[in-house]
Amino acid sequence: MQNQIPARFWPHFSNRLRLLLLPVLAATAWSATLPLMPEPVKVVQQPGYLAIDSGFHAAIGGYSDARLQAALARFESQIARQTGLPISPSGDAKLQVTCQEGGSEYPTLGEDESYQLDVSASDAKLQARTVTGALRGLETFAQLIAPGPDGFQIPAVHIEDRPRFPWRGLMMDVSRHWMPLAVVERNLDAMAAVKLNVFHWHLSDDQGFRVESKVYPRLQQEGSDGHYYTQAQVREVVNYARDRGIRVIPEFDMPGHTSSWFVGYPALASAPGPYAIERHFGVFEPVMDPTREETYTFLDGFIGEMASLFPDPYFHIGGDEVKDDQWKHSAAIQAFMRAHHIATSRDLQAYFNHRVQELLKKHGKIMIGWDEVLVPGLASETVIQSWRGQKSVAEAVSKGYRSLLSWGYYLDHLQPASYHYAVDPMQGDSASLTPEQASRILGGEACMWAEYVDAETVDSRIWPRMAAIAERFWSPRDVTSVDSMYSRLPEVSRWLEWTGLRHRSNEGPMLDRLAGGEPSAPLRVLADASEALGFSGRRKAQKYTSLTPLNRFVDAAHPESPSVRRLENAVAALGTNPLAAAELRATMVVWAQSAARLQPLLANNGLLAEVAPLAQNLATAGKIGLRALDYLEHRQTPPAGWVNREQQELDRIDQPVAEVRLAAVRPVRMLLQALNGQSAAARRRDAR
Ligand code: ACM
């Protein structure tokens, strides 16, 4: 017999909890809405479904070119992958794609990305002005396919859609940990799937210089440990991105974050070498010498070479976190500053930026830099990318510059999707701008800094949270419901894996590797109940270098546990959904046994020893949860002090272990709150 919480249970939740639960209950209704992310501007669902079978194919109705044809071929193989159907086009095309024009061959800032999709029970029409608009619409179509009573189908629907911001990006740091070509390309596929259109490639930093330079080959030869992209590979990525309607912006961070340049070219630095590739993380002293003409001769040659490799008109020069120790300790640099009336290190960096900006202009590029480049005299076309808050976005656009927000979208902090979702480029100081100023906010970029990720884990640190941020950048401003977002995110996450991402699938082999020859199922239970700590938690826990293995339990664990979120929803649904209690009980029974079941894996396994206390904590959470469920189900009041004691116990096990947070604590806390609510109601009843 199923354990059911009787309906009379419901009135005993505290008012506060009930308020918390209302949106969750409403989310049950939302889950019937279409699992699209980003949510389109207008969706009108109609009765009926269009069947997607093996004969499915799409045809081009109007303008056609190689990019559109390639997109349709990719689209059909995407549908074959996500449905498992052996697609072999036959009969009439079920989907007609009609564009008016190609738009630009290489995607451009602000191009028309709008589309309209109409699906009926007999066929579908996708209309767009440009090929890029059609690309966006094809992704919407693919997202809508789901199994129905007669096989795969897509609902009859009318969709009108266009982006809110023209600049919707993901920055990937490939310096601190090397990201091979396949990682970049599968992330480009996923970016296209959620309608992102800028890939910001952070190609150099202290820990590695990642592009082949033919003009200055010692950059990659001595600064990369052999891990760099050849120029042919860069062209491949640029074309790959272009085909998907994504611009590629290279970032060569300067004058700081440049140790890797100096290994091969020490004369660029502000202090004598020799230099080595930096293995630690942080902000380091080596910086370029802005006072020597040779620095600019070098940069002229380098920027010229890179300008022809990267077709996008925008070029990122970093400019963040510049330490001035080398400048202060150099008699020559100090003398130059006096001679040129440069008063401060900040002014010296402004002088450097100005010189670099002239070189960029010479090579046909527009400069982007992080907040720190915003100083008086900066050329008006510069784009400021804010990593420090909406305040610098507001400052930049009020001074006439264009700006992007990245603060609040730092994926490496491993915050929940809801945290990023709540951040808007138009908030805070940006909320009080004039419309003219606000129009210079181009959008935003999420940032995947790579101190604590590598090729194996990076997908799970970007996705699925990136999809929620993509919605922030694409969907209308009033699309803000966190419950709606979370009701769609798990399905979107599963769908994203069919684009080729490994954000879910890498976890299994990583846990198997840790488990050695033992079945890893108990470890999976622990991982599902855990959440990995982000940048600050890991930095605090131990001293990492770029050579520290990222093969531990924390690396397999996800930033945000979807299964724990399900359980939180189950607690909220106690009393209304009879399956909720059964699901909670079944999971908590497994939790309660987790320490014992993990015992054989932990014995003699140095890699797993650190999670033994975590397994104990999960068992504790499971036992507390089961007792709380018993009291709730039997409407019993626990012994005096029990709830308080167990709350303290939860506080104790809420402390991170092995750089992991026990997410399982959250639904158990909710059960204790529900018990408090029940006891208070009982006291009120007795007092009457
Ligand atoms: C940055 O996070 N230093 C751009």
Side-chain angles (χ1 to χ4, degrees), residues 3-6 9 574 581 585 588-589 622-638 642 671 675 678:
N3 286 301
Q4 293 193 356
I5 293 199
F9 223 52
L574 281 174
R585 186 171 288 282
M588 288 176 182
V589 164
K623 284 169 195 159
I624 297 172
L626 286 171
R627 286 291 296 278
L629 268 178
D630 282 343
Y631 288 130
L632 282 167
E633 279 191 289
H634 299 115
R635 301 192 65 198
Q636 285 173 349
T637 300
W642 186 82
L671 288 173
L675 256 185
Q678 175 179 274

PDB file of all heavy atoms in Angstrom, residues 3-6 9 574 581 585 588-589 622-638 642 671 675 678:
ATOM      1  N   ASN A   3       2.116   4.871   0.909  1.00  0.00           N
ATOM      2  CA  ASN A   3       1.985   5.789   2.039  1.00  0.00           C
ATOM      3  C   ASN A   3       1.347   7.065   1.533  1.00  0.00           C
ATOM      4  O   ASN A   3       1.885   7.726   0.666  1.00  0.00           O
ATOM      5  CB  ASN A   3       3.367   6.128   2.588  1.00  0.00           C
ATOM      6  CG  ASN A   3       3.921   4.959   3.346  1.00  0.00           C
ATOM      7  OD1 ASN A   3       3.303   4.514   4.302  1.00  0.00           O
ATOM      8  ND2 ASN A   3       5.046   4.448   2.895  1.00  0.00           N
ATOM      9  N   GLN A   4       0.220   7.368   2.063  1.00  0.00           N
ATOM     10  CA  GLN A   4      -0.447   8.586   1.600  1.00  0.00           C
ATOM     11  C   GLN A   4      -0.656   9.536   2.765  1.00  0.00           C
ATOM     12  O   GLN A   4      -0.999   9.109   3.853  1.00  0.00           O
ATOM     13  CB  GLN A   4      -1.815   8.237   1.003  1.00  0.00           C
ATOM     14  CG  GLN A   4      -1.694   7.442  -0.278  1.00  0.00           C
ATOM     15  CD  GLN A   4      -3.008   7.376  -1.007  1.00  0.00           C
ATOM     16  OE1 GLN A   4      -4.019   7.858  -0.518  1.00  0.00           O
ATOM     17  NE2 GLN A   4      -2.994   6.775  -2.175  1.00  0.00           N
ATOM     18  N   ILE A   5      -0.435  10.793   2.475  1.00  0.00           N
ATOM     19  CA  ILE A   5      -0.754  11.783   3.495  1.00  0.00           C
ATOM     20  C   ILE A   5      -2.177  12.229   3.242  1.00  0.00           C
ATOM     21  O   ILE A   5      -2.495  12.660   2.135  1.00  0.00           O
ATOM     22  CB  ILE A   5       0.208  12.972   3.434  1.00  0.00           C
ATOM     23  CG1 ILE A   5       1.594  12.474   3.844  1.00  0.00           C
ATOM     24  CG2 ILE A   5      -0.255  14.094   4.334  1.00  0.00           C
ATOM     25  CD1 ILE A   5       2.531  13.553   4.255  1.00  0.00           C
ATOM     26  N   PRO A   6      -3.055  12.041   4.231  1.00  0.00           N
ATOM     27  CA  PRO A   6      -4.454  12.388   3.993  1.00  0.00           C
ATOM     28  C   PRO A   6      -4.625  13.881   3.717  1.00  0.00           C
ATOM     29  O   PRO A   6      -3.823  14.694   4.170  1.00  0.00           O
ATOM     30  CB  PRO A   6      -5.158  12.005   5.292  1.00  0.00           C
ATOM     31  CG  PRO A   6      -4.088  11.759   6.291  1.00  0.00           C
ATOM     32  CD  PRO A   6      -2.807  11.531   5.569  1.00  0.00           C
ATOM     33  N   PHE A   9      -4.382  16.817   6.156  1.00  0.00           N
ATOM     34  CA  PHE A   9      -3.068  17.209   6.558  1.00  0.00           C
ATOM     35  C   PHE A   9      -2.735  18.645   6.221  1.00  0.00           C
ATOM     36  O   PHE A   9      -2.062  19.347   6.930  1.00  0.00           O
ATOM     37  CB  PHE A   9      -2.145  16.348   5.716  1.00  0.00           C
ATOM     38  CG  PHE A   9      -1.046  15.826   6.506  1.00  0.00           C
ATOM     39  CD1 PHE A   9      -1.301  15.169   7.688  1.00  0.00           C
ATOM     40  CD2 PHE A   9       0.243  16.003   6.078  1.00  0.00           C
ATOM     41  CE1 PHE A   9      -0.258  14.691   8.411  1.00  0.00           C
ATOM     42  CE2 PHE A   9       1.261  15.524   6.800  1.00  0.00           C
ATOM     43  CZ  PHE A   9       1.020  14.857   7.969  1.00  0.00           C
ATOM     44  N   LEU A 574       2.713  17.783  -0.299  1.00  0.00           N
ATOM     45  CA  LEU A 574       2.146  16.848   0.682  1.00  0.00           C
ATOM     46  C   LEU A 574       0.723  17.274   0.990  1.00  0.00           C
ATOM     47  O   LEU A 574       0.457  18.448   1.216  1.00  0.00           O
ATOM     48  CB  LEU A 574       2.959  16.877   1.980  1.00  0.00           C
ATOM     49  CG  LEU A 574       4.273  16.095   1.999  1.00  0.00           C
ATOM     50  CD1 LEU A 574       5.001  16.350   3.304  1.00  0.00           C
ATOM     51  CD2 LEU A 574       4.031  14.615   1.792  1.00  0.00           C
ATOM     52  N   ALA A 581       4.224  11.901  -0.729  1.00  0.00           N
ATOM     53  CA  ALA A 581       4.763  11.260   0.472  1.00  0.00           C
ATOM     54  C   ALA A 581       5.493   9.979   0.104  1.00  0.00           C
ATOM     55  O   ALA A 581       6.546   9.669   0.668  1.00  0.00           O
ATOM     56  CB  ALA A 581       3.642  10.972   1.460  1.00  0.00           C
ATOM     57  N   ARG A 585       9.322   9.264   0.993  1.00  0.00           N
ATOM     58  CA  ARG A 585       9.681   8.134   1.848  1.00  0.00           C
ATOM     59  C   ARG A 585      10.662   7.206   1.125  1.00  0.00           C
ATOM     60  O   ARG A 585      11.673   6.788   1.691  1.00  0.00           O
ATOM     61  CB  ARG A 585       8.409   7.377   2.265  1.00  0.00           C
ATOM     62  CG  ARG A 585       8.661   6.276   3.270  1.00  0.00           C
ATOM     63  CD  ARG A 585       7.346   5.723   3.798  1.00  0.00           C
ATOM     64  NE  ARG A 585       6.666   6.644   4.707  1.00  0.00           N
ATOM     65  CZ  ARG A 585       7.017   6.813   5.989  1.00  0.00           C
ATOM     66  NH1 ARG A 585       8.013   6.118   6.507  1.00  0.00           N
ATOM     67  NH2 ARG A 585       6.354   7.664   6.750  1.00  0.00           N
ATOM     68  N   MET A 588      14.083   8.821   1.071  1.00  0.00           N
ATOM     69  CA  MET A 588      14.720   8.964   2.383  1.00  0.00           C
ATOM     70  C   MET A 588      15.126   7.612   2.966  1.00  0.00           C
ATOM     71  O   MET A 588      16.097   7.532   3.725  1.00  0.00           O
ATOM     72  CB  MET A 588      13.825   9.767   3.311  1.00  0.00           C
ATOM     73  CG  MET A 588      13.843  11.231   2.862  1.00  0.00           C
ATOM     74  SD  MET A 588      12.772  12.324   3.761  1.00  0.00           S
ATOM     75  CE  MET A 588      13.083  13.848   2.848  1.00  0.00           C
ATOM     76  N   VAL A 589      14.410   6.569   2.595  1.00  0.00           N
ATOM     77  CA  VAL A 589      14.835   5.223   3.005  1.00  0.00           C
ATOM     78  C   VAL A 589      16.213   4.932   2.393  1.00  0.00           C
ATOM     79  O   VAL A 589      17.124   4.445   3.072  1.00  0.00           O
ATOM     80  CB  VAL A 589      13.788   4.161   2.574  1.00  0.00           C
ATOM     81  CG1 VAL A 589      14.377   2.758   2.634  1.00  0.00           C
ATOM     82  CG2 VAL A 589      12.542   4.261   3.442  1.00  0.00           C
ATOM     83  N   GLY A 622      18.371  11.383   6.066  1.00  0.00           N
ATOM     84  CA  GLY A 622      17.322  10.425   5.712  1.00  0.00           C
ATOM     85  C   GLY A 622      16.538   9.982   6.935  1.00  0.00           C
ATOM     86  O   GLY A 622      15.296   9.925   6.912  1.00  0.00           O
ATOM     87  N   LYS A 623      17.262   9.707   8.023  1.00  0.00           N
ATOM     88  CA  LYS A 623      16.577   9.231   9.239  1.00  0.00           C
ATOM     89  C   LYS A 623      15.695  10.326   9.840  1.00  0.00           C
ATOM     90  O   LYS A 623      14.562  10.062  10.250  1.00  0.00           O
ATOM     91  CB  LYS A 623      17.618   8.749  10.262  1.00  0.00           C
ATOM     92  CG  LYS A 623      18.198   7.387   9.879  1.00  0.00           C
ATOM     93  CD  LYS A 623      19.397   7.015  10.727  1.00  0.00           C
ATOM     94  CE  LYS A 623      20.142   5.862  10.056  1.00  0.00           C
ATOM     95  NZ  LYS A 623      21.528   5.754  10.511  1.00  0.00           N
ATOM     96  N   ILE A 624      16.209  11.550   9.870  1.00  0.00           N
ATOM     97  CA  ILE A 624      15.393  12.659  10.400  1.00  0.00           C
ATOM     98  C   ILE A 624      14.153  12.838   9.517  1.00  0.00           C
ATOM     99  O   ILE A 624      13.028  12.988  10.013  1.00  0.00           O
ATOM    100  CB  ILE A 624      16.200  13.975  10.459  1.00  0.00           C
ATOM    101  CG1 ILE A 624      17.380  13.840  11.413  1.00  0.00           C
ATOM    102  CG2 ILE A 624      15.305  15.141  10.883  1.00  0.00           C
ATOM    103  CD1 ILE A 624      18.354  15.032  11.382  1.00  0.00           C
ATOM    104  N   GLY A 625      14.362  12.780   8.220  1.00  0.00           N
ATOM    105  CA  GLY A 625      13.250  12.966   7.288  1.00  0.00           C
ATOM    106  C   GLY A 625      12.182  11.896   7.469  1.00  0.00           C
ATOM    107  O   GLY A 625      10.979  12.198   7.460  1.00  0.00           O
ATOM    108  N   LEU A 626      12.614  10.663   7.659  1.00  0.00           N
ATOM    109  CA  LEU A 626      11.634   9.568   7.817  1.00  0.00           C
ATOM    110  C   LEU A 626      10.827   9.731   9.102  1.00  0.00           C
ATOM    111  O   LEU A 626       9.609   9.531   9.123  1.00  0.00           O
ATOM    112  CB  LEU A 626      12.359   8.216   7.808  1.00  0.00           C
ATOM    113  CG  LEU A 626      12.863   7.762   6.436  1.00  0.00           C
ATOM    114  CD1 LEU A 626      13.751   6.518   6.567  1.00  0.00           C
ATOM    115  CD2 LEU A 626      11.690   7.483   5.489  1.00  0.00           C
ATOM    116  N   ARG A 627      11.529  10.119  10.184  1.00  0.00           N
ATOM    117  CA  ARG A 627      10.807  10.340  11.448  1.00  0.00           C
ATOM    118  C   ARG A 627       9.796  11.471  11.280  1.00  0.00           C
ATOM    119  O   ARG A 627       8.639  11.369  11.722  1.00  0.00           O
ATOM    120  CB  ARG A 627      11.785  10.702  12.583  1.00  0.00           C
ATOM    121  CG  ARG A 627      12.609   9.537  13.094  1.00  0.00           C
ATOM    122  CD  ARG A 627      11.788   8.511  13.845  1.00  0.00           C
ATOM    123  NE  ARG A 627      11.178   9.022  15.078  1.00  0.00           N
ATOM    124  CZ  ARG A 627      11.807   9.131  16.243  1.00  0.00           C
ATOM    125  NH1 ARG A 627      13.081   8.784  16.336  1.00  0.00           N
ATOM    126  NH2 ARG A 627      11.182   9.591  17.309  1.00  0.00           N
ATOM    127  N   ALA A 628      10.246  12.538  10.636  1.00  0.00           N
ATOM    128  CA  ALA A 628       9.347  13.690  10.443  1.00  0.00           C
ATOM    129  C   ALA A 628       8.126  13.283   9.617  1.00  0.00           C
ATOM    130  O   ALA A 628       6.994  13.665   9.917  1.00  0.00           O
ATOM    131  CB  ALA A 628      10.095  14.837   9.775  1.00  0.00           C
ATOM    132  N   LEU A 629       8.365  12.481   8.587  1.00  0.00           N
ATOM    133  CA  LEU A 629       7.240  12.007   7.763  1.00  0.00           C
ATOM    134  C   LEU A 629       6.274  11.165   8.595  1.00  0.00           C
ATOM    135  O   LEU A 629       5.047  11.284   8.460  1.00  0.00           O
ATOM    136  CB  LEU A 629       7.766  11.153   6.603  1.00  0.00           C
ATOM    137  CG  LEU A 629       8.061  11.827   5.279  1.00  0.00           C
ATOM    138  CD1 LEU A 629       8.622  10.799   4.299  1.00  0.00           C
ATOM    139  CD2 LEU A 629       6.811  12.487   4.682  1.00  0.00           C
ATOM    140  N   ASP A 630       6.836  10.308   9.462  1.00  0.00           N
ATOM    141  CA  ASP A 630       5.979   9.491  10.341  1.00  0.00           C
ATOM    142  C   ASP A 630       5.080  10.380  11.197  1.00  0.00           C
ATOM    143  O   ASP A 630       3.878  10.176  11.278  1.00  0.00           O
ATOM    144  CB  ASP A 630       6.839   8.627  11.273  1.00  0.00           C
ATOM    145  CG  ASP A 630       7.398   7.405  10.549  1.00  0.00           C
ATOM    146  OD1 ASP A 630       6.862   7.071   9.463  1.00  0.00           O
ATOM    147  OD2 ASP A 630       8.372   6.807  11.047  1.00  0.00           O
ATOM    148  N   TYR A 631       5.701  11.361  11.844  1.00  0.00           N
ATOM    149  CA  TYR A 631       4.914  12.254  12.712  1.00  0.00           C
ATOM    150  C   TYR A 631       3.836  12.966  11.902  1.00  0.00           C
ATOM    151  O   TYR A 631       2.699  13.102  12.341  1.00  0.00           O
ATOM    152  CB  TYR A 631       5.823  13.294  13.382  1.00  0.00           C
ATOM    153  CG  TYR A 631       6.711  12.729  14.464  1.00  0.00           C
ATOM    154  CD1 TYR A 631       8.080  12.992  14.475  1.00  0.00           C
ATOM    155  CD2 TYR A 631       6.176  11.956  15.507  1.00  0.00           C
ATOM    156  CE1 TYR A 631       8.898  12.493  15.469  1.00  0.00           C
ATOM    157  CE2 TYR A 631       7.005  11.446  16.511  1.00  0.00           C
ATOM    158  CZ  TYR A 631       8.358  11.716  16.478  1.00  0.00           C
ATOM    159  OH  TYR A 631       9.163  11.217  17.465  1.00  0.00           O
ATOM    160  N   LEU A 632       4.218  13.421  10.728  1.00  0.00           N
ATOM    161  CA  LEU A 632       3.250  14.157   9.900  1.00  0.00           C
ATOM    162  C   LEU A 632       2.109  13.247   9.473  1.00  0.00           C
ATOM    163  O   LEU A 632       0.926  13.599   9.571  1.00  0.00           O
ATOM    164  CB  LEU A 632       3.947  14.731   8.656  1.00  0.00           C
ATOM    165  CG  LEU A 632       4.781  15.993   8.856  1.00  0.00           C
ATOM    166  CD1 LEU A 632       5.664  16.258   7.641  1.00  0.00           C
ATOM    167  CD2 LEU A 632       3.886  17.212   9.115  1.00  0.00           C
ATOM    168  N   GLU A 633       2.457  12.066   9.029  1.00  0.00           N
ATOM    169  CA  GLU A 633       1.426  11.164   8.507  1.00  0.00           C
ATOM    170  C   GLU A 633       0.457  10.730   9.595  1.00  0.00           C
ATOM    171  O   GLU A 633      -0.726  10.567   9.345  1.00  0.00           O
ATOM    172  CB  GLU A 633       2.080   9.930   7.885  1.00  0.00           C
ATOM    173  CG  GLU A 633       2.580  10.192   6.492  1.00  0.00           C
ATOM    174  CD  GLU A 633       2.981   8.906   5.805  1.00  0.00           C
ATOM    175  OE1 GLU A 633       4.007   8.319   6.197  1.00  0.00           O
ATOM    176  OE2 GLU A 633       2.248   8.495   4.896  1.00  0.00           O
ATOM    177  N   HIS A 634       0.993  10.516  10.805  1.00  0.00           N
ATOM    178  CA  HIS A 634       0.119  10.063  11.900  1.00  0.00           C
ATOM    179  C   HIS A 634      -0.399  11.220  12.724  1.00  0.00           C
ATOM    180  O   HIS A 634      -1.015  10.998  13.768  1.00  0.00           O
ATOM    181  CB  HIS A 634       0.870   9.044  12.773  1.00  0.00           C
ATOM    182  CG  HIS A 634       1.283   7.832  11.988  1.00  0.00           C
ATOM    183  ND1 HIS A 634       2.603   7.491  11.762  1.00  0.00           N
ATOM    184  CD2 HIS A 634       0.546   6.918  11.320  1.00  0.00           C
ATOM    185  CE1 HIS A 634       2.659   6.402  11.000  1.00  0.00           C
ATOM    186  NE2 HIS A 634       1.413   6.040  10.722  1.00  0.00           N
ATOM    187  N   ARG A 635      -0.122  12.412  12.270  1.00  0.00           N
ATOM    188  CA  ARG A 635      -0.556  13.625  12.961  1.00  0.00           C
ATOM    189  C   ARG A 635      -0.176  13.585  14.437  1.00  0.00           C
ATOM    190  O   ARG A 635      -0.957  13.947  15.315  1.00  0.00           O
ATOM    191  CB  ARG A 635      -2.065  13.827  12.795  1.00  0.00           C
ATOM    192  CG  ARG A 635      -2.447  13.930  11.327  1.00  0.00           C
ATOM    193  CD  ARG A 635      -3.853  14.416  11.154  1.00  0.00           C
ATOM    194  NE  ARG A 635      -4.005  15.782  11.646  1.00  0.00           N
ATOM    195  CZ  ARG A 635      -5.177  16.329  11.937  1.00  0.00           C
ATOM    196  NH1 ARG A 635      -6.282  15.631  11.808  1.00  0.00           N
ATOM    197  NH2 ARG A 635      -5.242  17.577  12.354  1.00  0.00           N
ATOM    198  N   GLN A 636       1.015  13.117  14.682  1.00  0.00           N
ATOM    199  CA  GLN A 636       1.498  13.056  16.061  1.00  0.00           C
ATOM    200  C   GLN A 636       2.368  14.276  16.349  1.00  0.00           C
ATOM    201  O   GLN A 636       3.042  14.776  15.450  1.00  0.00           O
ATOM    202  CB  GLN A 636       2.365  11.809  16.260  1.00  0.00           C
ATOM    203  CG  GLN A 636       1.562  10.539  16.335  1.00  0.00           C
ATOM    204  CD  GLN A 636       2.486   9.327  16.355  1.00  0.00           C
ATOM    205  OE1 GLN A 636       3.692   9.434  16.117  1.00  0.00           O
ATOM    206  NE2 GLN A 636       1.901   8.176  16.636  1.00  0.00           N
ATOM    207  N   THR A 637       2.343  14.675  17.589  1.00  0.00           N
ATOM    208  CA  THR A 637       3.251  15.738  18.005  1.00  0.00           C
ATOM    209  C   THR A 637       4.534  15.081  18.486  1.00  0.00           C
ATOM    210  O   THR A 637       4.488  14.187  19.335  1.00  0.00           O
ATOM    211  CB  THR A 637       2.620  16.563  19.143  1.00  0.00           C
ATOM    212  OG1 THR A 637       1.402  17.112  18.635  1.00  0.00           O
ATOM    213  CG2 THR A 637       3.542  17.677  19.584  1.00  0.00           C
ATOM    214  N   PRO A 638       5.677  15.467  17.951  1.00  0.00           N
ATOM    215  CA  PRO A 638       6.932  14.848  18.399  1.00  0.00           C
ATOM    216  C   PRO A 638       7.217  15.188  19.856  1.00  0.00           C
ATOM    217  O   PRO A 638       6.678  16.178  20.362  1.00  0.00           O
ATOM    218  CB  PRO A 638       7.982  15.460  17.482  1.00  0.00           C
ATOM    219  CG  PRO A 638       7.283  16.414  16.593  1.00  0.00           C
ATOM    220  CD  PRO A 638       5.861  16.498  16.952  1.00  0.00           C
ATOM    221  N   TRP A 642      12.197  17.748  20.244  1.00  0.00           N
ATOM    222  CA  TRP A 642      12.708  16.911  19.131  1.00  0.00           C
ATOM    223  C   TRP A 642      12.994  17.747  17.883  1.00  0.00           C
ATOM    224  O   TRP A 642      14.074  17.667  17.302  1.00  0.00           O
ATOM    225  CB  TRP A 642      11.696  15.791  18.800  1.00  0.00           C
ATOM    226  CG  TRP A 642      12.237  14.834  17.764  1.00  0.00           C
ATOM    227  CD1 TRP A 642      13.067  13.782  17.970  1.00  0.00           C
ATOM    228  CD2 TRP A 642      11.990  14.879  16.340  1.00  0.00           C
ATOM    229  NE1 TRP A 642      13.365  13.154  16.784  1.00  0.00           N
ATOM    230  CE2 TRP A 642      12.723  13.809  15.760  1.00  0.00           C
ATOM    231  CE3 TRP A 642      11.244  15.715  15.498  1.00  0.00           C
ATOM    232  CZ2 TRP A 642      12.705  13.558  14.391  1.00  0.00           C
ATOM    233  CZ3 TRP A 642      11.238  15.455  14.138  1.00  0.00           C
ATOM    234  CH2 TRP A 642      11.963  14.387  13.590  1.00  0.00           C
ATOM    235  N   LEU A 671      10.308  19.594   5.969  1.00  0.00           N
ATOM    236  CA  LEU A 671       9.450  18.673   6.729  1.00  0.00           C
ATOM    237  C   LEU A 671       9.361  19.100   8.189  1.00  0.00           C
ATOM    238  O   LEU A 671       8.289  19.052   8.805  1.00  0.00           O
ATOM    239  CB  LEU A 671       9.985  17.242   6.628  1.00  0.00           C
ATOM    240  CG  LEU A 671       9.803  16.547   5.273  1.00  0.00           C
ATOM    241  CD1 LEU A 671      10.518  15.197   5.254  1.00  0.00           C
ATOM    242  CD2 LEU A 671       8.312  16.357   4.960  1.00  0.00           C
ATOM    243  N   LEU A 675       6.119  20.176  10.383  1.00  0.00           N
ATOM    244  CA  LEU A 675       5.789  19.618  11.696  1.00  0.00           C
ATOM    245  C   LEU A 675       5.523  20.728  12.702  1.00  0.00           C
ATOM    246  O   LEU A 675       4.591  20.650  13.507  1.00  0.00           O
ATOM    247  CB  LEU A 675       6.970  18.794  12.206  1.00  0.00           C
ATOM    248  CG  LEU A 675       6.872  17.281  12.149  1.00  0.00           C
ATOM    249  CD1 LEU A 675       8.097  16.679  12.811  1.00  0.00           C
ATOM    250  CD2 LEU A 675       5.599  16.793  12.836  1.00  0.00           C
ATOM    251  N   GLN A 678       2.169  21.945  12.139  1.00  0.00           N
ATOM    252  CA  GLN A 678       1.161  21.003  12.639  1.00  0.00           C
ATOM    253  C   GLN A 678       1.021  21.132  14.152  1.00  0.00           C
ATOM    254  O   GLN A 678      -0.081  21.156  14.690  1.00  0.00           O
ATOM    255  CB  GLN A 678       1.572  19.577  12.275  1.00  0.00           C
ATOM    256  CG  GLN A 678       0.656  18.528  12.866  1.00  0.00           C
ATOM    257  CD  GLN A 678       1.080  17.121  12.458  1.00  0.00           C
ATOM    258  OE1 GLN A 678       0.691  16.648  11.404  1.00  0.00           O
ATOM    259  NE2 GLN A 678       1.900  16.482  13.287  1.00  0.00           N
TER     260      GLN A 678
END
